[in-house]
Amino acid sequence: MKSGKFWAWLVFALGAAYFFIPLIATVEFSMRMRRGEYSFDAYKVVLGDARFQATFGYSVLAAVFTIILGVLIVVPAAYWIRLRLPQLRPIVEFITLLPLVIPAIVIVFGYIRMYGSNSPLPFLATDTGTNALLVIGYATLALPYMYRAVDTGLRTIDVRTLTEAAQILGAGWGTIITRVILPNVLIAVLSGAFLTFAIVIGEFTMASLLNRPAFGPYLQNIGANRAYEPAALAIIAFAITWGCMSLIQILSRFAPRSANRPN
Amino acid sequence: MTDISMSDHAVTGKTAPPAEARSMRLPTQWLGVAPFFIFAIMFLILPTLYLMLGAFQNEAGEFTFENIAALAQPSIIAAYWISIKVSLASSLIGAFAGLAIAIAIVRGGLPEWIRSATLTFSGVASNFAGVPLAFAFLATLGRLGLATVILNTLFGLNIYAHGFNILSFWGLTLTYVYFQIPLMVVIIVPAIDGLKKEWGEAAATLGATMAQYWRMVVIPVIWPSFLGTVILLFANAFGAIATAYALTGSSLNIVPILLYAQIRGDVLHNAHLGYAIAFGMIFITGLANVFYIWFRTRSERWLK
Amino acid sequence: MADPFLSIQHVRKSFGATTVVEDFNLDVESGEFVSFLGPSGCGKTTVLRMVAGFEEPSAGKIVVSGKDITRLKPNQRNVGMVFQAYALFPNLTVAQNIGFGLKVVGMPRADIDARVAEMLGIIKLPQMADRYPYQLSGGQQQRIALARAIAPKPKLLLLDEPLSALDAKVRVSLREEIRSIQKKLGITTIFVTHDQEEALSISDRIAVMYGGKAEQVGTPFEIYNRPATKFVANFVGTLNVLEGTVTDPAAGTVRVNSEQISLQGKLNGSKSGDTLSLALRPEAISLGRQPGRDSSLSGEISEVHFLGSVIRVRVGIGGSTVSLDTFNSPATPPPAVGEKAEISFSSSDMLVLH
């Protein structure tokens, strides 16, 4: 018993060291810009950089559109599968796992070849089309996470019973979706949304190969040309990821708890 | 509880639509899932298939094995080899370290706040990949990184003089482990939570030692989730490019970087060779998954 | 007198500042079936877990066959245990589960197979050997768990609420089966339960526990008919409680709702004017005057519940209500609500709760 506890502490301490040393080192490095003293100069330079503002804004916008697209695709499908088409569940779960197996670089390579200017669907012929294709690509990357989040949300509220109860009370489909289902899965959808945001905001591969002025390629460019700013950017990116995850945690406290499931 | 499930049945029975109503409603049912399937086919399945097929065609669109055969040139084989090594090493290290941490926080008798703090941090760190992660490791283990400097000034250990390089196999592996371990923790903790305390107690009253209990119950029970997660970690590392690209530029030639260069500039002067490289990547991650599914159906009959 | 098989002596258990078990003493004879009965949080499971070795007593000792086992590890104690949640190993078949305790001590394969087959016969599930736990019902799983616990021939069998997770019907049949297997094998058994009917029906002796102490230890007959404390009287069985006022301590007369009854020799030095709680079991009361019942009270029928073979009648007497059961006799109509009624009982059946 005693020795077990010792090993647990040891493992935990080693893990904590591995995870915290790079963070501490990065913070330290990011503050070394002014010779001989610590300062926040690197952060000032980064945050004041017009390209930082532009690319970050672009990626935030792309993330927002990705979330909207993801919700529109995933929520109806997950809902219908829970409610009426459970036989499709294995197929859909398989599809949502594919993006974890097919590398992002392969997916975007496929897009470039399939949707080029000479193809029947020339997404890449225009700027808007390319932006749309980037959002689409991000939505496929986020698909596993979005689907899982929404499906878990639907499972805990037992949509089938809720829908049937609403039907018995005379509600139409519009009412059911807007008044019964959406409010109850909102927390799950938001969790998926923040996770999507965390994945998309610094994404490099797709944005770079589609030549979009996004935050990921900007990060890479700074990394190749500057010394202290990349460390500051890493800390900023870590803070953004941390913020998204914290929001998910806070949201989960407001998630509806199942009241009537007999297990 | 019984009366609730009975009323459930009653409700279902009453609202089951008559036959005509059902056939009327069928299109709307498919309408709900249609966007999902259209999206998946157009932007996930077809683009992938396009590359798969292209890998077996020449410029004129005829069937050929030439592209696959062309993968056998030394630079491409080397790229696959280093990718496989990095992915395997980082997924195995990540898996075992993650498992150890998960067991420590779930079963090690540590305070409750450590468990929740570790899970929260793992959620963050498993998503902290890509370019910023490379920056963090350059700041730590780069030539001027804090750890490098401290090791040198305090302990007189110049790791670069001893052959370490952040732009190398071990440098990349050590960096990948930063998101692999937390991913393992996040996925495996529920599986360890599923190990019931009573199993250990039952084994103890039946005379089993701790080692016997682990060998006969714990490891067989955790094994499928563990193996599945290792496969996921492998695929995760195998397809990753941003971290490696930002860390090493193109000095470490892993497959995704090779493919990236090919897409950007057609460095291999043969578009169909690019398809073949992509095919090879999916083939390897797919093979890992097939192996996993085969193993699971063969050995885990006790799983529902 | 021979030394008891199991002796729990002055055992105490505290978790931090809270004491869960205080000064618990019990001797169990070889082959005896003893139940720990009590509400949740009374310490019964903690005592069982100390006997199993999962908890270490803060004080006191546990002796089995003259040997102090207080500090032994669970896997050195040779006890069998059955848990509320079955706790079958999900990755092993029924046969492998039952053979687990034999395999870990290195018994030869053929001997294990023979013993497993014998166990499957005893629990009457011989065809289940190759199934996995998830393919079995709760009752079947718990029988396998029982077989697994007794396969290594433990000296002591510990059952921790083994029936609580099961359906009512399975519960009754399985408890009878447990008792008959226990008798056949002659294995000393401790059974923890919060269900008094369970405890009464299968035990040789019952220890009723409350607040970390044994309130009373005795046979089911003693516990039910001669509860030693107010808690035992209330917890075991249904009890009708009437308020009475002592009118004449010497003659033992007590006034209940303006009627006098005589409780000669039961008043234990109460003074005139003292208020007493008088308790009666439903089955000690009859409707109407009956031969052999020396006391009676009158009231009015307030409720009638038809339960099949018996009819439960509630009779209002002053401010209190008394429940009693009458047998259903198809020829006579049941009593009706609102009728005047007289209840009779023997004063010797009346418990005076101090």
Side-chain angles (χ1 to χ4, degrees):
Chain A
M1 231 26 208
K2 285 272 150 59
S3 77
K5 207 161 178 169
F6 167 77
W7 284 110
W9 276 112
L10 184 71
V11 166
F12 176 76
L14 285 176
Y18 172 77
F19 283 98
F20 278 104
I21 287 172
L23 290 179
I24 295 164
T26 311
V27 170
E28 199 266 352
F29 201 83
S30 73
M31 293 166 71
R32 271 201 264 172
M33 195 172 193
R34 195 178 297 173
R35 206 167 274 280
E37 58 172 319
Y38 286 135
S39 70
F40 289 102
D41 285 4
Y43 294 88
K44 278 182 209 140
V45 171
V46 163
L47 294 173
D49 183 353
R51 281 184 306 152
F52 169 85
Q53 294 156 6
T55 57
F56 191 74
Y58 179 90
S59 282
V60 168
L61 204 61
V64 169
F65 279 112
T66 303
I67 290 163
I68 294 170
L69 179 63
V71 168
L72 288 179
I73 291 165
V74 165
V75 173
Y79 175 62
W80 277 112
I81 283 160
R82 281 252 161 234
L83 197 65
R84 289 268 185 265
L85 301 165
Q87 67 272 21
L88 288 183
R89 168 178 303 281
I91 304 171
V92 170
E93 287 195 340
F94 175 76
I95 291 173
T96 58
L97 284 176
L98 282 180
L100 299 179
V101 179
I102 306 171
I105 189 168
V106 172
I107 294 174
V108 72
F109 188 23
Y111 288 179
I112 291 170
R113 294 296 167 179
M114 254 188 91
Y115 300 116
S117 336
N118 302 324
S119 71
L121 261 176
F123 273 102
L124 296 175
T126 61
D127 240 21
T128 320
T130 313
N131 289 336
L133 203 55
L134 182 69
V135 166
I136 287 168
Y138 283 174
T140 54
L141 292 189
L143 194 61
Y145 308 99
M146 194 55 132
Y147 180 80
R148 217 112 310 194
V150 172
D151 193 52
T152 308
L154 289 174
R155 192 174 59 223
T156 42
I157 62 163
D158 194 1
V159 272
R160 180 181 274 270
T161 313
L162 270 188
T163 304
E164 286 167 350
Q167 281 177 323
I168 284 236
L169 294 169
W173 281 114
T175 318
I176 292 175
I177 302 275
T178 55
R179 304 283 302 277
V180 179
I181 302 304
L182 275 186
N184 276 302
V185 295
L186 187 64
I187 302 289
V189 168
L190 285 176
S191 299
F194 286 119
L195 196 54
T196 305
F197 190 90
I199 295 165
V200 162
I201 193 72
E203 202 281 338
F204 167 75
T205 318
M206 287 189 164
S208 158
L209 286 173
L210 292 175
N211 275 321
R212 291 298 91 197
F215 192 48
Y218 166 76
L219 288 175
Q220 198 277 328
N221 184 268
I222 293 292
N225 299 306
R226 302 293 188 87
Y228 300 103
E229 288 88 337
L233 282 167
I235 293 303
I236 292 169
F238 190 86
I240 293 170
T241 314
W242 186 281
C244 289
M245 295 300 135
S246 306
L247 281 172
I248 292 174
Q249 279 231 319
I250 292 165
L251 280 174
S252 69
R253 273 177 226 156
F254 297 101
R257 298 266 184 277
S258 159
N260 62 348
R261 292 182 70 236
N263 50 30
Chain B
M1 285 298 110
T2 335
D3 51 347
I4 286 172
S5 65
M6 274 175 62
S7 66
D8 257 10
H9 288 302
V11 170
T12 326
K14 270 180 204 148
T15 53
E20 313 112 286
R22 173 158 291 181
S23 66
M24 288 286 288
R25 204 180 283 171
L26 199 63
T28 34
Q29 284 187 15
W30 292 95
L31 216 59
V33 289
F36 176 86
F37 280 103
I38 293 170
F39 180 86
I41 290 168
M42 279 187 65
F43 299 111
L44 185 57
I45 295 167
L46 279 186
T48 312
L49 280 181
Y50 185 90
L51 297 182
M52 303 290 93
L53 294 176
F56 294 95
Q57 287 173 341
N58 61 19
E59 296 292 336
E62 295 152 339
F63 179 83
T64 177
F65 279 115
E66 272 170 29
N67 305 315
I68 305 293
L71 290 180
Q73 50 190 281
S75 66
I76 297 182
I77 288 186
Y80 270 106
W81 182 230
I82 186 101
S83 265
I84 290 173
K85 275 203 300 186
V86 168
S87 307
L88 209 56
S90 73
S91 59
L92 288 177
I93 294 171
F96 282 105
L99 181 67
I101 290 172
I103 290 172
I105 61 168
V106 177
R107 287 274 177 270
L110 301 183
E112 173 61 30
W113 67 266
I114 287 201
R115 178 198 159 107
S116 55
T118 306
L119 283 177
T120 309
F121 184 86
S122 298
V124 178
S126 62
N127 286 297
F128 182 64
V131 181
L133 177 63
F135 294 167
F137 269 80
L138 281 171
T140 311
L141 287 168
R143 283 183 190 279
L144 296 173
L146 187 67
T148 314
V149 171
I150 286 178
L151 284 174
N152 199 10
T153 51
L154 288 189
F155 304 102
L157 176 67
N158 184 348
I159 52 174
Y160 275 80
H162 286 78
F164 178 84
N165 190 338
I166 190 74
L167 314 179
S168 68
F169 162 73
W170 278 112
L172 191 58
T173 301
L174 206 58
T175 310
Y176 277 11
V177 166
Y178 201 87
F179 58 80
Q180 300 281 50
I181 292 178
L183 195 54
M184 185 74 187
V185 170
V186 168
I187 300 177
I188 208 75
V189 158
I192 293 173
D193 275 331
L195 290 171
K196 297 212 176 68
K197 204 171 128 226
E198 286 92 344
W199 292 344
E201 293 179 350
T205 58
L206 290 165
T209 61
M210 205 54 165
Q212 283 173 320
Y213 169 58
W214 272 73
R215 187 162 51 77
M216 295 166 74
V217 179
V218 175
I219 292 172
V221 168
I222 294 188
W223 183 237
S225 326
F226 180 78
L227 191 66
T229 314
V230 171
I231 304 282
L232 183 71
L233 298 190
F234 179 86
N236 195 27
F238 195 77
I241 168 169
T243 312
Y245 191 69
L247 199 60
T248 71
S250 42
S251 68
L252 192 68
N253 219 5
I254 59 172
V255 182
I257 288 182
L258 185 68
L259 182 58
Y260 180 84
Q262 162 68 12
I263 299 170
R264 293 224 81 157
D266 196 13
V267 290
L268 301 167
H269 309 293
N270 178 357
H272 286 260
L273 190 53
Y275 298 169
I277 293 172
F279 172 82
M281 290 181 75
I282 295 180
F283 180 76
I284 286 170
T285 53
L287 202 64
N289 277 277
V290 168
F291 165 74
Y292 168 64
I293 291 164
W294 169 80
F295 178 86
R296 195 172 162 138
T297 47
R298 237 185 70 99
S299 66
E300 312 302 335
R301 279 174 299 136
W302 56 273
L303 285 170
K304 267 172 262 188
Chain C
M1 192 181 146
D3 281 338
F5 174 71
L6 164 69
S7 179
I8 303 172
Q9 300 167 4
H10 303 290
V11 160
R12 195 167 62 76
K13 179 67 186 175
S14 311
F15 294 103
T18 46
T19 300
V20 187
V21 176
E22 40 185 296
D23 197 31
F24 185 88
N25 293 284
L26 182 72
D27 286 348
V28 180
E29 298 301 323
S30 184
E32 205 179 6
F33 192 114
V34 177
S35 293
F36 293 174
L37 174 65
S40 58
C42 71
K44 57 190 192 297
T45 296
T46 309
V47 174
L48 191 81
R49 291 174 63 81
M50 287 192 284
V51 176
F54 299 132
E55 311 284 356
E56 202 172 295
S58 309
K61 61 179 181 173
I62 298 167
V63 178
V64 172
S65 308
K67 187 175 158 220
D68 186 347
I69 62 159
T70 318
R71 311 274 168 234
L72 279 188
K73 284 186 180 160
N75 59 2
Q76 299 164 332
R77 293 194 179 200
N78 194 17
V79 297
M81 184 148 173
V82 176
F83 301 83
Q84 180 175 348
Y86 325 137
L88 292 179
F89 306 126
N91 59 317
L92 302 179
T93 62
V94 165
Q96 288 167 334
N97 263 288
I98 297 175
F100 187 92
L102 309 172
K103 195 174 172 190
V104 295
V105 295
M107 189 187 265
R109 181 75 193 269
D111 296 358
I112 294 178
D113 290 347
R115 180 80 178 144
V116 168
E118 182 192 344
M119 284 297 127
L120 284 168
I122 288 177
I123 57 165
K124 303 193 187 79
L125 291 172
Q127 70 285 14
M128 298 289 180
D130 296 321
R131 301 269 185 101
Y132 284 95
Y134 80 91
Q135 297 168 307
L136 306 175
S137 71
Q140 288 170 334
Q141 289 194 48
Q142 199 58 296
R143 274 146 82 186
I144 306 295
L146 178 67
R148 179 179 69 178
I150 58 183
K153 302 191 175 155
K155 290 186 280 187
L156 192 57
L157 180 61
L158 307 176
L159 309 170
D160 186 7
E161 306 226 16
L163 305 172
S164 305
L166 302 172
D167 293 342
K169 271 219 171 102
V170 182
R171 253 157 118 142
V172 174
S173 67
L174 188 54
R175 82 179 182 220
E176 286 161 3
E177 212 173 316
I178 288 176
R179 177 59 160 159
S180 85
I181 292 171
Q182 183 268 338
K183 270 188 172 156
K184 191 154 74 189
L185 303 179
I187 183 169
T188 313
T189 301
I190 297 177
F191 178 85
V192 163
T193 182
H194 61 262
D195 183 328
Q196 36 120 348
E197 188 193 318
E198 245 167 57
L200 291 171
S201 66
I202 61 175
S203 316
D204 291 319
R205 279 194 302 153
I206 298 174
V208 182
M209 291 187 64
Y210 180 64
K213 277 186 291 205
E215 291 266 313
Q216 187 178 3
V217 181
T219 64
F221 189 85
E222 287 166 349
I223 296 284
Y224 190 83
N225 293 313
R226 286 192 283 284
T229 66
K230 203 165 179 171
F231 173 80
V232 176
N234 269 310
F235 189 74
V236 181
T238 313
L239 210 59
N240 296 300
V241 180
L242 294 166
E243 291 289 301
T245 313
V246 178
T247 47
D248 184 348
T253 48
V254 174
R255 192 181 67 233
V256 179
N257 188 31
S258 77
E259 289 179 87
Q260 300 282 342
I261 53 173
S262 168
L263 295 171
Q264 191 78 52
K266 289 198 159 195
L267 296 186
N268 275 13
S270 299
K271 296 187 293 295
S272 184
D274 283 0
T275 311
L276 297 176
S277 291
L278 307 172
L280 273 173
R281 299 283 185 203
E283 62 273 19
I285 312 173
S286 316
L287 206 52
R289 277 187 188 277
Q290 299 283 333
R293 307 258 161 150
D294 58 16
S295 311
S296 67
L297 289 167
S298 48
E300 187 182 303
I301 294 176
S302 60
E303 286 174 55
V304 176
H305 297 281
F306 186 71
L307 302 177
S309 61
V310 295
I311 299 170
R312 176 149 293 185
V313 181
R314 288 189 206 280
V315 182
I317 293 170
S320 354
T321 312
V322 169
S323 283
L324 60 99
D325 293 342
T326 66
F327 282 109
N328 172 26
S329 93
T332 45
V337 173
E339 280 178 14
K340 294 274 175 230
E342 197 164 20
I343 60 163
S344 59
F345 51 90
S346 301
S347 57
S348 60
D349 288 339
M350 185 163 261
L351 307 168
V352 179
L353 307 177
H354 297 279

